[in-house]
Amino acid sequence: MNENLFASFIAPTILGLPAAVLIILFPPLLIPTSKYLINNRLITTQQWLIKLTSKQMMTMHNTKGRTWSLMLVSLIIFIATTNLLGLLPYSFTPTTQLSMNLAMAIPLWAGAVIMGFRSKIKNALAHFLPQGTPTPLIPMLVIIETISLLIQPMALAVRLTANITAGHLLMHLIGSATLAMSTINLPSTLIIFTILILLTILEIAVALIQAHVFTLLVSLYLHDNT
């Protein structure tokens, strides 16, 4: 019970070298591919889920926005698999690192904003000043809208980091309580263990939902700028 709660969030190293890159490259290896004309059930289900997700995100986009479909589908698959692998015992979850989430959020956000300024400069600038704004409030609203635009990638990264980190900490605390109670009171241990199982199921859902939310928000930023 006295161990550091945040020890599992420290980036692992191998012979003093950071192993985070290898961990990040590992999830794509788990995605099955087929070399045959007729796919098996696993490949068919995977393709159905990818088509369903892509259709849901790309319906609201125009032709220019749909050029991002491959990137967005790859993003949601990567985040979902990384989050799920992080639920395994003695594993490391890269999405608990704010630096990594910022490295995903900032380029995608910047690409969407730059595309908006290049193709729809008037509409992009119009977001900084809503129609019908009183003249005395114009400078204040421009500052507020500029700040709200600049904090979008930070909000994306912090939301993903906070949700994944909070779930892992809660599972760690309840798991430690289960071990501590196992030698004291067996009925209480069974109750806490049941709560731990239910929390694990919830964290699996959270891992998938947060991947979808992250990608969906990037898709909405893209939609506003295309």
Side-chain angles (χ1 to χ4, degrees):
M1 294 295 290
N2 295 325
E3 61 180 310
N4 186 2
L5 289 177
F6 296 92
S8 60
F9 303 113
I10 300 175
T13 57
I14 300 176
L15 299 177
L17 300 176
V21 177
L22 297 177
I23 297 173
I24 293 172
L25 295 176
F26 180 68
L29 300 178
L30 300 179
I31 300 175
T33 57
S34 176
K35 300 179 181 179
Y36 302 101
L37 181 61
I38 300 177
N39 297 325
N40 56 26
R41 292 184 179 88
L42 180 60
I43 300 294
T44 303
T45 305
Q46 172 187 301
Q47 292 178 348
W48 176 76
L49 289 174
I50 291 175
K51 289 180 181 179
L52 182 64
T53 305
S54 178
K55 182 179 179 180
Q56 181 183 7
M57 289 189 298
M58 294 292 111
T59 301
M60 59 182 174
H61 290 284
N62 54 20
T63 304
K64 182 177 293 185
R66 290 176 182 176
T67 58
W68 284 48
S69 59
L70 181 59
M71 182 183 299
L72 294 179
V73 171
S74 301
L75 179 66
I76 190 173
I77 293 175
F78 171 74
I79 297 177
T81 53
T82 303
N83 290 346
L84 291 175
L85 287 176
L87 295 175
L88 298 176
Y90 302 103
S91 61
F92 172 71
T93 312
T95 47
T96 57
Q97 306 296 311
L98 182 60
S99 57
M100 175 182 165
N101 295 335
L102 283 173
M104 291 191 296
I106 292 178
L108 294 171
W109 167 83
V113 172
I114 292 173
M115 180 181 293
F117 277 101
R118 289 185 60 185
S119 59
K120 299 166 57 177
I121 182 65
K122 292 184 179 180
N123 292 337
L125 293 176
H127 287 295
F128 292 95
L129 189 62
Q131 188 176 4
T133 303
T135 304
L137 297 179
I138 289 178
M140 183 182 299
L141 280 179
V142 170
I143 294 174
I144 293 174
E145 291 296 330
T146 303
I147 294 175
S148 67
L149 177 66
L150 295 177
I151 66 173
Q152 284 177 353
M154 178 63 73
L156 272 178
V158 170
R159 181 186 294 107
L160 180 59
T161 304
N163 281 281
I164 301 302
T165 303
H168 282 55
L169 285 175
L170 192 56
M171 290 178 62
H172 179 81
L173 289 172
I174 295 180
S176 300
T178 304
L179 289 177
M181 293 293 294
S182 61
T183 57
I184 301 174
N185 192 334
L186 184 58
S188 299
T189 303
L190 294 176
I191 294 175
I192 299 175
F193 184 70
T194 303
I195 295 175
L196 179 61
I197 294 176
L198 295 176
L199 180 61
T200 303
I201 297 173
L202 177 62
E203 283 304 308
I204 293 174
V206 169
L208 298 175
I209 290 172
Q210 288 304 314
H212 184 265
V213 168
F214 189 96
T215 311
L216 183 61
L217 289 175
V218 173
S219 178
L220 290 176
Y221 297 155
L222 177 63
H223 177 260
D224 291 338
N225 291 279
T226 55

